Amino acid sequence: IKPRGHHGRYDFDHGLIIPAYHNTAHQRKTNLARAGVNLYADEEASRAAAAAVSGTTRAASVAVAASSPPRKKPNTQNVSRHTTTSGRSIPFDSEYNIQEEMRSLVLSRVSGLNDTTIERNIDTETIGGWCLVDGLVHCATASNSILLPLIKEHGPPRFYLDHIKKIASRSDDDASASGSNNTDDLRSFRSLCQIVSGQQLAGNAAKTIWRRLLKVVDATEEDSTNLTPDRILSIVENGDTESDLRAPAGLSNAKCNCIIAIAMSFKEGTLSDNILLGGEAADDEVRSRLLSIKGLGPWSVDMFLLFQCHKSDVLPIGDLAFRNGTSNLWGVKGKAKGGGLCQRKDEQLMRDLHGPFAPYRSLSSYYMYKCSGMK
């Protein structure tokens, strides 16, 4: 009988209730001795005596165990698996195909595609040359699927979907015609100029400065083709940089000099769309060339590589929203003020948390913005 007012535990070896306050090895032996268990006999004899006290027999238990069918090991040999282009093998069953779910999620978010277009084998490759569906599958299953709810709630990143929609909306004839007549090879130049002009500014202020810079070269947001390296350098060579470029655009001296340096790099051929977007240079080489320009720091380069070049494995540790999102999602505190993650002191912690998502850490980084609590 269990003592009143106390919780005990059941001794499955000897069929006895051991009071909680007697839960020690010494007292356990005492209780067994009082129950008539011979502690000095061999182990099997002791167990048989203890079983007799509780009204059961060891032999009966053994007989039941012997009559039970042996446990079968789970069959993992014939499990269907999906192998991504990165070589990662992911198991799934017929009831839940993560590959098909992610592909359906991508197609459902690409607005404006008719049924005929969806039925085709749409190319889900990004500008960076990697498959968006494969990246989503990897991130949805890595690190105990911690990103899966965010992926389902927010969908794939819009800047990837816009590119996929643009490619999917073309017919074969339109695509070939567009390719032959496309003379705009300065998209990356304009993207860099926009990033530099908006450095350390809030959203609306950054947009205002960008519009003012475009106006200086008679360009608009709808048609920015007039913003070219030659146009910027002609202002510098034939006019007054201060009154004709910096002041009317609302740029600081550092930003103005940086944009001029970028224009020089494109003019000299150190940078180009083929190098930055076309895969002519390795990712490390691209980063090195960009960082060599004064005024382009790690944050600006990370933003460019992630949002414009669609590089797959960017980890923008210098971005505050990224750090806040990482802290919120994993519930970790850092060494920055107020327990936030510090760019330098907590760098390894952030790399460890995002490590399982490589080589698609650009995707894991994107979803940090969604849970950062910042607008």
Side-chain angles (χ1 to χ4, degrees), residues 344-356:
R344 292 182 296 102
K345 296 179 181 179
D346 297 311
E347 177 180 355
Q348 191 57 52
L349 172 61
M350 290 182 278
R351 290 191 180 278
D352 290 342
L353 291 173
H354 286 268

Side-chain angles (χ1 to χ4, degrees), residues 228-250:
T228 65
D230 287 339
R231 191 67 182 270
I232 294 293
L233 294 176
S234 67
I235 295 176
V236 176
E237 295 170 358
N238 303 321
D240 181 73
T241 303
E242 173 65 24
S243 59
D244 295 338
L245 178 59
R246 192 203 68 77

